[in-house]
Amino acid sequence: MQEIELKFLVPKARLKGLLRQAKVKSSEVTQMAAHYYDTSDQKLAQAGIGLRIRREGDTWVQTIKAGGDGIVARLEHNALLDNEQVQAMLKSQKLMPDLTIYKDTSIEPLLADFKLKKLTKKLSRLYVTDIERITRLVTEDDNGAKSSIEIAYDYGDIIHGEDDNHRQSIQEIEFELVSGDLDFLFTTAKTWCKRYKLYLSTVTKAERGGLLLHNQDYSPAIKANLKQLDVEADTSMPAFIRAVVHNCLLQILPNSSAIVAGSQDYEHVSQLHNGIQRLHTSLKTLQNFSDQLNPEWLPILEQTASLLDDYGKLSYLSDYVEYKLRQQGAPAVDWSTDIDDIKITPIDTVRANDFQLTLLEMIAFTMSDPSIEPQADKLAFDKVAKNLSKQYDKLLKALQSFVDSSENKADSTDKDKLAQLYYHLTSLRYLSEFAAPLYHKKESKKTLKRWLKRVKKAQKTLNCHLNKVYYQQHYKQKASTDANALYGAGWLAASQKQSGKRCQKRLDKVQDSDRFW
């Protein structure tokens, strides 16, 4: 069975109103105690598998979850257990899952690498959850086609398996499709998201338990993983853009989930910004690949990325650039006031309702049927080469524009020209990475590998150079109120000459490379 579920965190200010909607006459309240199992080194969790035994009212259910699309859909297998046997195991403190029930099921292949008999011996209870769940069923009858959703509000604690005092609170609401139309799930979730300003979260209870065991509040930042891009040579245009957006969301959602939950970690902000950049590139350069792309997504993504970038750069300057300068003998410069003066923090930015609704709409887009679109019979391969050529031409024009401005010593525009050059180079890199799986022939692969290597190096070097320009200007401005900043301004100005030369070499290699398309 496949579970399709959307999970949200609830702002405290909206909790009372939300509970009034959750606690209707038809709603049910269930006390749930769940025992979660894994090996001592959490091999199941590393494989994306969650295994539990949970008391749901008067019944006990063994559940395993795994696989799925990495966002809202997962394989789920539930098995009712014999109450007397469970009570006996509880009495002897030997409650353990029965893995033999997964033989000849869709779950068995996912456990093939573990060898069930050996895995059973290695399992232990790592953590438990004590939850009060309020559930209500929402239904729709659309011309005889019935759809139903279970809305579940969970409140309680996740508790360390060996220390009852070591716990973390849980407060979240879930929307699960029970039957019928997927659109009904997203329409309902959007309504609640608007009304109660909910925040999307991809953090499962099993993941929370793993974090509790390691005394961590948030999972590590997630980088882009192109191995998860589900694209083949014969992928259609609508299927291609859905796969690309899905791949971007696999990076965006875990990082945004950590931030809305309270993380101020630079890496979460940086990787979320990176994911949004990749997504923005795909929507802008591949906008004609689907009729279902919403043009309103782009400005929201642009604004979110800009706010994250402003905070991220200043945070990096304060924590890393300043530290490096002090190692070079620079006097200390305090940037804490500058950071405090930023009115919109990453948490505020990511919690913004328009951004959360945009994420929700894009998840729905990735799960929609590409075969019903007019372009469904057109291959992405035939179109993407034209898009790559257009982006390459834009890069060359931006490069020439920057060279011309530098030769004319138009210093006031150099930063803008440099930013434009970086934007077009970054877009070309991401578009090349998205297109790579379409070029599977041997003669293309070698050229592709060389091209991607050179584009990545050029982008990284140009980003470093552009950041030095940004940091140097900040130190220069800071010097008007703090003379200690003069050292940093001078040091960064001097280092720009060397980084500029490196940029030129990297860009020349990109221009000299054979294009793979």
Side-chain angles (χ1 to χ4, degrees), residues 34-38 51-52 124-129 205-206:
H35 304 249
Y36 285 80
Y37 297 85
D38 205 336
L51 177 63
R52 73 174 183 230
S124 61
R125 189 188 74 168
L126 299 186
Y127 47 90
V128 299
T129 58
K205 292 181 179 66

Side-chain angles (χ1 to χ4, degrees), residues 163-211:
D163 182 2
D164 288 351
N165 295 317
H166 192 186
R167 58 180 62 203
Q168 186 182 80
S169 63
I170 294 174
Q171 183 173 286
E172 59 193 26
I173 188 166
E174 300 172 354
F175 299 78
E176 182 176 353
L177 183 66
V178 178
S179 63
D181 190 3
L182 190 62
D183 288 342
F184 182 52
L185 171 67
F186 284 98
T187 300
T188 305
K190 279 182 65 177
T191 300
W192 283 65
C193 188
K194 284 181 181 178
R195 185 178 299 163
Y196 302 111
K197 312 304 178 189
L198 306 177
Y199 319 136
L200 270 163
S201 175
T202 58
V203 184
T204 65
K205 292 181 179 66
E207 188 177 346
R208 287 175 181 267
L211 293 171

Side-chain angles (χ1 to χ4, degrees), residues 137-181:
L137 202 65
V138 180
T139 61
E140 178 189 60
D141 190 341
D142 185 11
N143 295 323
K146 293 185 178 181
S147 300
S148 61
I149 298 166
E150 183 185 76
I151 301 176
Y153 171 73
D154 288 348
Y155 178 80
D157 294 293
I158 188 163
I159 307 162
H160 197 291
E162 297 179 356
D163 182 2
D164 288 351
N165 295 317
H166 192 186
R167 58 180 62 203
Q168 186 182 80
S169 63
I170 294 174
Q171 183 173 286
E172 59 193 26
I173 188 166
E174 300 172 354
F175 299 78
E176 182 176 353
L177 183 66
V178 178
S179 63
D181 190 3

Side-chain angles (χ1 to χ4, degrees), residues 29-33 55-58 130-133 155:
V29 179
T30 307
Q31 297 297 326
M32 300 191 303
R55 175 175 60 82
E56 300 177 5
D58 296 327
D130 183 13
I131 300 291
E132 179 181 273
R133 168 168 284 188
Y155 178 80

Side-chain angles (χ1 to χ4, degrees), residues 24 62 120 209 246 271-272 281 285 312 337 361 364 426 451:
V24 296
Q62 180 175 310
T120 300
H246 179 267
Q271 291 305 322
L272 175 57
T281 294
T285 59
T337 303
E361 289 177 5
T426 299
W451 170 267

Side-chain angles (χ1 to χ4, degrees), residues 222-230 247-248 250-251 278:
I222 299 297
K223 297 182 179 181
N225 185 354
L226 289 159
K227 291 181 180 179
Q228 295 176 310
L229 179 59
D230 188 14
N247 187 260
C248 295
L250 288 176
Q251 180 183 15
R278 295 173 66 236

